Amino acid sequence: MTKYFGAIYRYYINYKLMKKKVKQYANQIEAGAVERRYVLKDFSRMLDYQIEKIVLFMLEQQGLFASRISQLNEQQDSLQEEPDISKISGLREAYRAVGQDLLKLLFFVEMNAIGLRKILKKFDKRFGYKFTDYYVKTRANHPYSLLQQVFKHVGLGAVVGAISRNLADLEDRQGSYLSIYDQPALPLQDPVVDSLKAAVDRLTHSTNFLNFLGQHALIMHEELPSPVEEHVDDERYHFISLLLNLVNTFLYMVNTYIIVPTADDYSTSLGAAPTVCGIVIGAMAVAQVFSSVYFSAWSNKSYFRPLVFSSIVLFVGNVMYALAYDLNSIPVLLIGRLFCGFGSARAVNRRYISDCVPLKIRMQASAGFVSASALGMACGPALAGLLQTKFMIYKITFNQDTLPGWVMAIAWLIYLVWLWFSFKEPANMDEVNHVPQDASVVQPDKLEKGLAQPLLLTATENEQDDDGDQDASEEASEESRLPANSLASAYRLLTPSVKVQLLIYFMLKYAMEILLSESSVVTTYYFGWTTSSVSIFLACLGLTVLPVNIIVGSYISNMYEDRQILLASEIIVFLGILFSFQFIVPYSVPQYVCSGLIMFVAAEVLEGVNLSLLSRVMSSRLSRGTYNGGLLSTEAGTLARVVADATITLAGYLGQSKLLNVTLVPSLVICIASIAATCCTYNSLY
């Protein structure tokens, strides 16, 4: 292989040179020595050359890989006539060696893809976020685009397929005539093939259902993880502990939405207006804004203790919520919901998956996290619809208003007992949260040194001279690999694209919360729906989550780009909100149900694509630590729920007849703003 890849560093993107040129352009423009048009043309030409040498090298290596596989195939054909166990074993290792070299080529491509993104962001930072929009628009959509070749790899995928098929043929098939193509659900279990598929998926942004659903959890990974799977020993990973985290997620979502169908009736029974349900529902979200931060920080040291604390606080909160009826006290009701919010351990659940679950099942665990949330969202209202009874025990009232609190209190008590006896704290928390980097893996900050390491060889790193061109303000933010240590530092890592994605996330959560939280008040006022009817409606909405994600993740995302689906979904949400307004009298059930369904489904599609894009455009420094990407997205969504519930309560002072239209106006405005922001950053979402 040495004769093929002797001077691989020549084919890397020259990040250092381009960074230096960006600084020179800035100085020249400031001095009036050059025009912006010249800078645009000159830097475009430089990028074109850099991308071209990457692509041509990739094509050259694909030919070499094809040649090696062809030679091995000839050897395999000769073995069909005279089988030799030792030769078959050697041939299998030869195919795996090709796979290992291909894996190194894939990492070479990924390093260059990261370099391209970083230099475009740096140029935008210097010149007002205009160049990426121009360059991607003109290059990525051209029929002879070289830029797309860096992110789409049909040729490399074919090589992976050839290696997979031949390794499968060399396995003991026990007389079976089936191939890997006949049983796609039972892929070859070979570490090399698994690593190759994972590397190709990262480069092509695979959108199969499992990956698509897993991205909803926003459990982010390093930009360039090791090709060898992270070793998580049996003492750290414990299946029952993972299951307990998923159950915690499920119960919390049930706890959140079980009161929605009855919150207005509960408020009325305590002498308040029905629209006070906005404060009752939103109190949990208010507390979650703060609990997400301290639970995220607590998970740096332990997982067991915060989960125990969460269960106790939620038990107390639900008991207070239930007792508020007999105490005839709105303050007790609100304090109970605040306690429930203070017990939100979703940050711990997400962090456990990120830190303690092996890479080979982490995507499944992430998908489980999202599925548990979706199932809880549907089960909450459905369970409330079943609790339509009334009786008393020792002067304590049990009815449709208080039973949700009592049921959830018992559920959390049972969970606490299970947790106490079954959860296994990961051994040595410091090692779990601070896994050392593999010395053989080149990290993205090697870009700063010219990307000199020949990844396709086992040779030592070739050092290049440092030209001393340093921009301290920028180097500090780009070279540092440490996680953000505060919300302020995390905010400084947000690019305009990330900010737009967080705005979209805020918008969709706001629209969904308005729809769900005021559903009981609106449907009772306009249609005279009972609690059971509201529960069925909300449960049906919740049950659409997984089917919609299956369709999007398995089909739609394979036919269209994520940014196209993103913009289309925003427009459909806008239409759903617009159609929900009461333009004519009387307001009809079909209009409300259809508009609500359109809005909710479009928002679900939007959430999946939004988080998929967010996981790609967000800095790798936000993949770990207390102030990580998952926390930021959680805070954005929780804040949206707080504002939405406050809007419902404030709009209630204008009367129930105006509640619907008044609360939909902010949703419409925020949706229009998010569509406009998406259009402004559209070409940077690649």
Side-chain angles (χ1 to χ4, degrees):
M1 294 303 292
T2 303
K3 62 181 180 180
Y4 296 146
F5 308 127
I8 182 66
Y9 64 87
R10 295 188 294 110
Y11 299 102
Y12 279 96
I13 179 176
N14 196 332
Y15 182 83
K16 191 177 201 177
L17 173 63
M18 290 190 293
K19 187 180 70 173
K20 184 176 181 179
K21 289 292 290 184
V22 170
K23 187 174 182 179
Q24 289 177 353
Y25 291 144
N27 294 335
Q28 289 171 348
I29 289 177
E30 187 177 349
V34 296
E35 296 182 357
R36 286 183 176 268
R37 285 189 302 172
Y38 168 80
V39 170
L40 203 66
K41 181 178 180 180
D42 191 56
F43 196 67
S44 296
R45 187 188 299 114
M46 180 183 296
L47 266 180
D48 289 341
Y49 168 74
Q50 297 289 331
I51 293 171
E52 184 177 278
K53 73 176 182 180
I54 296 168
V55 173
L56 293 178
F57 178 74
M58 288 168 53
L59 296 174
E60 177 188 354
Q61 299 312 312
Q62 288 175 37
L64 295 174
F65 284 128
S67 177
R68 291 174 64 188
I69 292 174
S70 179
Q71 294 173 11
L72 293 175
N73 287 347
E74 292 177 2
Q75 297 178 35
Q76 184 176 352
D77 290 340
S78 65
L79 285 174
Q80 296 293 333
E81 300 176 0
E82 299 180 9
D84 186 318
I85 299 299
S86 62
K87 290 183 178 179
I88 291 177
S89 178
L91 191 58
R92 188 183 300 124
E93 291 304 315
Y95 277 116
R96 285 177 180 149
V98 177
Q100 291 289 356
D101 286 331
L102 176 58
L103 187 59
K104 293 172 184 175
L105 177 61
L106 289 168
F107 275 87
F108 159 82
V109 177
E110 185 167 10
M111 286 289 287
N112 283 288
I114 292 170
L116 287 172
R117 288 193 179 100
K118 290 183 71 175
I119 197 61
L120 286 169
K121 289 179 181 178
K122 182 177 284 291
F123 195 98
D124 287 347
K125 185 176 181 179
R126 287 280 193 171
F127 300 103
Y129 307 105
K130 297 295 182 183
F131 181 75
T132 297
D133 186 79
Y134 159 78
Y135 191 81
V136 174
K137 183 178 180 180
T138 55
R139 267 61 173 178
N141 298 324
H142 195 277
Y144 305 136
S145 170
L146 291 174
L147 183 63
Q148 286 289 4
Q149 291 295 321
V150 182
F151 300 100
K152 306 290 182 183
H153 312 286
V154 176
L156 294 179
V159 179
V160 174
I163 294 172
S164 302
R165 186 190 67 79
N166 284 286
L167 279 173
D169 288 346
L170 289 170
E171 293 291 324
D172 182 9
R173 312 303 285 179
Q174 297 181 348
S176 173
Y177 292 96
L178 297 177
S179 72
I180 61 171
Y181 304 108
D182 298 311
Q183 293 178 301
L186 299 173
L188 173 66
Q189 299 298 314
D190 191 289
V192 172
V193 176
D194 290 342
S195 297
L196 286 171
K197 289 180 178 178
V200 171
D201 284 351
R202 281 198 309 275
L203 286 168
T204 58
H205 306 311
S206 175
T207 51
N208 63 66
F209 170 62
L210 184 62
N211 288 343
F212 182 80
L213 190 64
Q215 286 171 327
H216 283 49
L218 209 66
I219 296 172
M220 300 171 59
H221 309 295
E222 293 291 335
E223 289 178 311
L224 192 61
S226 169
V228 181
E229 288 188 343
E230 174 189 351
H231 174 69
V232 181
D233 57 38
D234 292 338
E235 292 185 357
R236 292 179 184 171
Y237 170 62
H238 185 230
F239 173 75
I240 298 300
S241 299
L242 172 61
L243 181 62
L244 282 162
N245 273 276
L246 297 181
V247 171
N248 183 282
T249 298
F250 169 77
L251 289 177
Y252 185 78
M253 293 303 290
V254 172
N255 209 148
T256 300
Y257 289 99
I258 193 173
I259 73 158
V260 172
T262 59
D264 60 329
D265 183 68
Y266 204 166
S267 301
T268 303
S269 66
L270 297 181
T275 51
V276 173
C277 69
I279 293 180
V280 175
I281 297 171
M284 196 168 177
V286 171
Q288 191 179 347
V289 171
F290 303 98
S291 66
S292 296
V293 178
Y294 68 71
F295 270 115
S296 183
W298 200 351
S299 63
N300 288 324
K301 299 179 180 179
S302 172
Y303 296 105
F304 176 68
R305 288 191 291 273
L307 287 176
V308 169
F309 176 78
S310 165
S311 304
I312 294 173
V313 171
L314 279 157
F315 170 77
V316 173
N318 281 289
V319 170
M320 293 182 69
Y321 179 85
L323 290 176
Y325 186 90
D326 292 304
L327 296 175
N328 195 31
S329 173
I330 281 285
V332 172
L333 184 72
L334 295 177
I335 293 172
R337 286 294 286 179
L338 284 172
F339 264 73
C340 290
F342 283 127
S344 172
R346 287 174 65 82
V348 179
N349 307 144
R350 181 186 283 111
R351 188 73 177 274
Y352 184 87
I353 296 174
S354 177
D355 291 343
C356 303
V357 176
L359 280 174
K360 61 183 178 182
I361 63 168
R362 192 172 298 169
M363 188 58 72
Q364 291 93 320
S366 300
F369 175 85
V370 177
S371 300
S373 299
L375 188 61
M377 182 179 181
C379 288
L383 185 58
L386 298 176
L387 302 177
Q388 302 300 301
T389 185
K390 183 175 182 179
F391 58 92
M392 295 189 67
I393 300 177
Y394 297 111
K395 298 183 180 180
I396 298 177
T397 305
F398 296 86
N399 57 22
Q400 65 174 11
D401 298 332
T402 63
L403 276 172
W406 290 118
V407 168
M408 292 312 304
I410 293 172
W412 284 113
L413 187 60
I414 295 172
Y415 174 80
L416 178 61
V417 174
W418 183 20
L419 178 74
W420 188 269
F421 289 103
S422 301
F423 190 87
K424 185 177 181 181
E425 185 80 277
N428 198 335
M429 288 295 297
D430 289 336
E431 292 183 14
V432 172
N433 290 297
H434 304 285
V435 179
Q437 295 290 342
D438 188 339
S440 65
V441 179
V442 180
Q443 295 300 323
D445 59 359
K446 294 289 185 182
L447 290 163
E448 300 293 333
K449 297 183 179 179
L451 287 169
Q453 179 164 347
L455 289 179
L456 301 181
L457 297 173
T458 57
T460 56
E461 182 175 347
N462 296 319
E463 297 293 339
Q464 290 184 343
D465 293 334
D466 194 333
D467 63 1
D469 176 29
Q470 300 290 332
D471 186 335
S473 63
E474 294 178 13
E475 299 304 319
S477 61
E478 291 206 6
E479 289 187 348
S480 174
R481 305 296 300 158
L482 297 175
N485 55 13
S486 67
L487 281 175
S489 61
Y491 180 81
R492 286 194 293 270
L493 293 172
L494 304 184
T495 63
S497 298
V498 175
K499 291 176 181 177
V500 169
Q501 296 306 301
L502 290 176
L503 172 63
I504 293 171
Y505 194 67
F506 179 93
M507 179 274 292
L508 68 91
K509 286 297 183 182
Y510 182 92
M512 290 172 67
E513 187 71 9
I514 288 290
L515 172 65
L516 298 175
S517 295
E518 72 177 14
S519 59
S520 183
V521 178
V522 170
T523 56
T524 300
Y525 178 79
Y526 287 107
F527 318 128
W529 281 10
T530 63
T531 299
S532 297
S533 300
V534 178
S535 300
I536 293 172
F537 172 67
L538 295 178
C540 289
L541 287 181
L543 289 174
T544 64
V545 173
L546 290 180
V548 166
N549 281 298
I550 290 175
I551 295 172
V552 177
S554 300
Y555 302 104
I556 297 179
S557 288
N558 291 322
M559 295 186 289
Y560 303 98
E561 295 180 8
D562 282 353
R563 57 182 180 173
Q564 294 174 326
I565 303 172
L566 184 83
L567 186 57
S569 300
E570 288 181 272
I571 294 173
I572 296 175
V573 170
F574 169 79
L575 294 176
I577 295 172
L578 195 63
F579 189 49
S580 298
F581 278 89
Q582 182 189 5
F583 294 115
I584 57 175
V585 179
Y587 193 54
S588 65
V589 172
Q591 180 184 349
Y592 177 78
V593 172
C594 291
S595 61
L597 187 62
I598 291 171
M599 185 196 311
F600 188 85
V601 170
E604 278 299 324
V605 174
L606 183 58
E607 180 175 4
V609 179
N610 171 258
L611 293 178
S612 175
L613 282 169
L614 192 58
S615 67
R616 297 207 296 266
V617 300
M618 190 171 280
S619 169
S620 63
R621 289 182 61 190
L622 295 174
S623 65
R624 56 201 184 280
T626 301
Y627 303 94
N628 52 66
L631 175 65
L632 293 181
S633 64
T634 299
E635 292 291 82
T638 304
L639 186 61
R641 292 173 53 207
V642 171
V643 176
D645 291 323
T647 302
I648 293 172
T649 300
L650 292 175
Y653 288 104
L654 300 177
Q656 293 186 48
S657 61
K658 298 181 180 179
L659 176 67
L660 181 66
N661 286 353
V662 170
T663 54
L664 288 175
V665 169
S667 298
L668 195 67
V669 172
I670 299 172
C671 188
I672 293 172
S674 71
I675 293 174
T678 301
C679 292
C680 291
T681 59
Y682 184 77
N683 286 313
S684 64
L685 303 175
Y686 67 100

